[in-house]
Amino acid sequence: MKPRYTILIILLLIACSNRNTPPAVTEDFIYNYYKLANQETALQLTSGLATEKLEAEIIRLQEVRTQNEPAPEMPKIEYKQIGKETANEVENVTHVLFNYQLTIKNRVGTTTHIRNVVITTENIEGKWKVVNFLEY
């Protein structure tokens, strides 16, 4: 095997192997919650207040989602990280905060909304989880 292919395979394995990091969990949460509007999958990445928020939202939307109507067309959502901060708390708990900008476009590609989202992650029993998220 050529060395460049070996290096490419190694880099791919490293990139795909560990999703238990603050950036990876945050990216997965944004992708599932905002881009796909899949609260159930996003819920698996949460703990604490973030879990409470999503569970309440799932209950509120349950009636709407059980109707036999076709799903409405989803807007196009693009996102980019615009900031990151690590904060040490009491009892050595480390929170990593990420600030994202969401750009929401209609189906013809016109930007309709720009929102900022702060996502807080914490390592809970060896797993990074989203513990809060806030839009503004």
Side-chain angles (χ1 to χ4, degrees):
M1 187 181 290
K2 293 183 178 181
R4 67 179 166 194
Y5 293 120
T6 304
I7 292 171
L8 180 61
I9 291 171
I10 290 170
L11 289 175
L12 283 172
L13 288 172
I14 290 170
C16 297
S17 63
N18 188 6
R19 299 301 297 164
N20 188 27
T21 65
V25 168
T26 302
E27 284 279 332
D28 292 348
F29 179 81
I30 292 247
Y31 179 78
N32 285 292
Y33 182 66
Y34 289 103
K35 191 161 181 93
L36 300 181
N38 187 336
Q39 292 92 351
E40 294 287 343
T41 301
L43 184 64
Q44 297 171 18
L45 302 167
T46 66
S47 184
L49 184 57
T51 298
E52 292 173 20
K53 287 179 176 181
L54 282 180
E55 286 174 341
E57 183 174 319
I58 289 167
I59 290 169
R60 280 193 314 271
L61 295 175
Q62 194 170 21
E63 185 176 312
V64 175
R65 290 196 171 174
T66 58
Q67 296 175 355
N68 291 327
E69 297 176 15
E73 185 173 326
M74 295 289 295
K76 181 179 181 184
I77 297 179
E78 298 170 353
Y79 55 92
K80 67 178 179 178
Q81 182 181 333
I82 57 174
K84 175 184 172 186
E85 181 180 328
T86 302
N88 291 319
E89 300 252 337
V90 179
E91 299 177 12
N92 296 323
V93 175
T94 300
H95 291 103
V96 182
L97 288 74
F98 295 89
N99 194 344
Y100 277 80
Q101 183 178 65
L102 304 177
T103 303
I104 304 164
K105 298 181 177 187
N106 60 19
R107 62 185 163 125
V108 295
T110 304
T111 299
T112 58
H113 295 21
I114 294 178
R115 306 282 302 185
N116 290 319
V117 179
V118 176
I119 297 179
T120 306
T121 60
E122 180 182 326
N123 191 316
I124 300 173
E125 298 177 3
K127 287 193 165 198
W128 283 96
K129 297 283 191 174
V130 172
V131 293
N132 198 7
F133 59 99
L134 175 67
E135 295 176 35
Y136 62 97

